[in-house]
Amino acid sequence: MLANKKILIGVTGSIAAYKIILLTRLLVKEGAEVKIILTKAATDFVSPLVLSTLSKNVVLQELSSNSEWANHVQLGRWADVFLIAPLSCNTLAKLANGICDNLLMATYLSATCPIVLAPAMDEDMWKHPSTKKNLEVVKTYGNSIINVGDGELASGLFGEGRMAEPEEIVAYLKENYFRTTELSGKKVLITAGPTYEAIDPVRFISNHSSGKMGFALTEELFSRGASVTLVTGPTKEKLSFPSIKRINVVSANDMYNACLSEASASDILVMSAAVADYTPVTVEFNKIKKKENDWSIELTKTKDILFSIGQQKRENQFLVGFALETNNERENALQKLRNKNADCIVLNSLNDKDAGFGYDTNKVTLLHKSGETHEFSLKTKKEVAKDIVSFIISKING
Ligand code: CTP
């Protein structure tokens, strides 16, 4: 998503400047081209050598040095986004008033790209009426602000004013400037993770699903422009994009109810959750005590979400199911494709090394209702998500 994107970072004098080291690393790792401007005050907090090494570009500090002129106009036109982070109180005041006394300010005043500000201040400075006023002023100039967080501040006090974390900044830039448009206007409903079927207040029946594949797919669908609702069972996985609607559920029945109320409004439906096929007939209110002899639990079938959605599917909806198989993989997956009226099934085999539950890698075969099949090699779940989403896009456009 960030490959070959040009990001200019202006760093000002704040202790949060140390976070720019990690931010630069994250951006470069994702393929972005990063150039950095430091104000004089910023050099007290972070070394130009560290940042030039990580960004693989000379760090710019002065409008001119050794009779060479840093072309601020060209810099502001080169960038896809100009991020000023951390934004100190002092530079904020300069932005609000158009004071042009260093390279960062000259670049800001001549930039034609979107400008994003990530302030960092002590709570009292952050809450000062002049700061509030300056923030309102810079917003009217069209600049975007990444909200500060709560927590321990450089002063040792706790409160508001911490600069957003590098991962949050990367997610903000991606979400607001670098999503593609292949799926814009499309609504997606996706399920992920396992379900927990309660036996009593202490125990439940579940499976080994980590939710990683479903979460990678959710973020990829969103990155390609779709508006996405994720219905997920219990998982440790987190989403980076706040605009994805996340509905947390526990049981297969909760997941069924959440999905069925969202399904008719969705254009693409991806059922990647490992939903329990059976649930206890009764859930004991109190913890079940150990018995003298063996004990069995009566189970009843859960409602099949993929099947139910397949029954009501409209012509213009695209339904994707998953099949995790251990034997007769293709036959079983094709049977699911037909029985559940899906458009496509993503087949995972538990026999493939390093693929499946808990791994960061996966190996899938896509089976389309037309008979078309695509077998992919072992890849990271993020790369697998890209392949699956590209396949969906090719089918809905084709
Ligand atoms: N699925 C579902 N609701 C259920 C069970 C499964 O939506 N109650 C969906 C899964 O999300 C997946 C697909 O159905 O997309 C295949 O799930 P799986 O459990 O493997 O298939 P089953 O039809 O239950 O067959 P079996 O367990 O016998 O392999």
Side-chain angles (χ1 to χ4, degrees):
M1 202 173 180
L2 291 179
N4 304 318
K5 300 298 178 205
K6 299 183 177 80
I7 297 167
L8 180 62
I9 308 178
V11 186
T12 75
S14 155
I15 183 69
Y18 78 89
K19 294 185 183 177
I20 304 307
I21 297 172
L22 181 56
L23 176 66
T24 304
R25 170 113 182 82
L26 293 176
L27 293 170
V28 170
K29 218 170 136 195
E30 293 217 25
E33 235 187 288
V34 179
K35 290 190 181 178
I36 299 173
I37 301 173
L38 293 185
T39 63
K40 194 167 181 324
T43 59
D44 290 336
F45 296 96
V46 67
S47 134
L49 183 61
V50 173
L51 294 177
S52 63
T53 309
L54 289 172
S55 67
K56 303 183 179 81
N57 272 313
V58 173
V59 167
L60 303 154
Q61 297 176 62
E62 308 287 347
L63 267 163
S64 65
S65 61
N66 299 332
S67 70
E68 262 188 56
W69 181 56
N71 189 337
H72 57 85
V73 176
Q74 190 272 332
L75 271 175
R77 285 173 186 262
W78 168 84
D80 293 317
V81 173
F82 183 16
L83 167 75
I84 305 185
L87 171 66
S88 67
C89 203
N90 189 35
T91 298
L92 171 63
K94 290 188 202 174
L95 299 181
N97 292 287
I99 294 171
C100 187
D101 65 348
N102 59 25
L103 176 61
L104 186 148
M105 285 307 304
T107 307
Y108 164 77
L109 289 166
S110 53
T112 50
C113 61
I115 292 172
V116 180
L117 310 174
M121 278 164 230
D122 252 315
E123 190 175 34
D124 297 328
M125 291 166 96
W126 175 248
K127 292 200 161 155
H128 195 279
S130 66
T131 305
K132 294 282 160 234
K133 193 181 98 199
N134 288 336
L135 273 172
E136 287 313 310
V137 171
V138 297
K139 278 190 211 162
T140 67
Y141 300 158
N143 301 325
S144 303
I145 317 278
I146 305 183
N147 281 338
V148 296
D150 266 343
E152 191 176 1
L153 301 165
S155 57
L157 299 173
F158 283 80
E160 252 180 74
R162 278 177 69 88
M163 188 180 83
E165 296 305 321
E167 292 80 1
E168 291 167 335
I169 295 178
V170 172
Y172 184 94
L173 296 178
K174 284 183 178 173
E175 175 160 342
N176 290 285
Y177 304 102
F178 300 118
R179 286 168 77 198
T180 57
T181 54
E182 295 124 294
L183 290 175
S184 64
K186 299 279 183 220
K187 284 194 172 168
V188 174
L189 172 66
I190 178 163
T191 64
T195 61
Y196 285 5
E197 308 305 317
I199 298 170
D200 67 12
V202 183
R203 301 151 178 123
F204 57 84
I205 300 170
S206 190
N207 56 65
H208 293 297
S209 170
S210 62
K212 283 181 186 190
M213 192 63 246
F215 274 64
L217 270 168
T218 301
E219 297 209 329
E220 185 59 26
L221 288 156
F222 179 78
S223 302
R224 304 279 192 108
S227 101
V228 185
T229 299
L230 166 69
V231 180
T232 176
T235 164
K236 285 192 225 126
E237 293 299 301
K238 292 194 176 83
L239 290 171
S240 344
F241 304 118
S243 302
I244 295 173
K245 182 174 165 192
R246 174 175 176 158
I247 301 173
N248 293 320
V249 295
V250 176
S251 68
N253 196 44
D254 297 343
M255 190 172 270
Y256 176 88
N257 290 333
C259 287
L260 270 282
S261 67
E262 299 271 340
S264 68
S266 306
D267 304 295
I268 300 168
L269 303 104
V270 182
M271 302 292 110
S272 69
V275 189
D277 290 328
Y278 294 92
T279 191
V281 172
T282 50
V283 181
E284 291 301 325
F285 184 74
N286 293 313
K287 183 182 167 198
I288 300 167
K289 300 302 284 179
K290 194 165 28 189
K291 315 243 183 294
E292 280 295 313
N293 300 312
D294 294 344
W295 169 58
S296 54
I297 310 170
E298 196 185 344
L299 301 175
T300 181
K301 264 178 104 168
T302 56
K303 289 181 207 152
D304 190 317
I305 307 164
L306 176 59
F307 178 82
S308 307
I309 291 176
Q311 292 294 295
Q312 342 175 328
K313 190 177 63 152
R314 293 189 311 271
E315 184 76 353
N316 56 353
Q317 290 182 308
F318 193 88
L319 179 59
V320 181
F322 273 65
L324 176 67
E325 306 292 341
T326 55
N327 56 307
N328 296 331
E329 289 99 331
R330 280 207 187 204
E331 284 121 86
N332 286 336
L334 283 169
Q335 206 169 356
K336 275 174 198 167
L337 179 77
R338 285 189 293 270
N339 292 350
K340 302 200 187 194
N341 194 28
D343 295 286
C344 166
I345 287 277
V346 181
L347 165 65
N348 296 269
S349 167
L350 262 193
N351 300 323
D352 288 322
K353 194 175 165 293
D354 296 336
F357 292 136
Y359 288 107
D360 287 325
T361 47
N362 204 3
K363 185 172 180 306
V364 301
T365 303
L366 301 184
L367 308 169
H368 186 251
K369 63 179 178 190
S370 64
E372 195 180 323
T373 61
H374 286 271
E375 207 174 321
F376 294 91
S377 55
L378 186 79
K379 296 179 178 193
T380 65
K381 287 189 173 170
K382 285 192 174 162
E383 285 164 340
V384 172
K386 283 191 180 38
D387 289 338
I388 297 173
V389 175
S390 295
F391 184 78
I392 296 173
I393 292 170
S394 75
K395 288 296 155 203
I396 58 174
N397 290 339

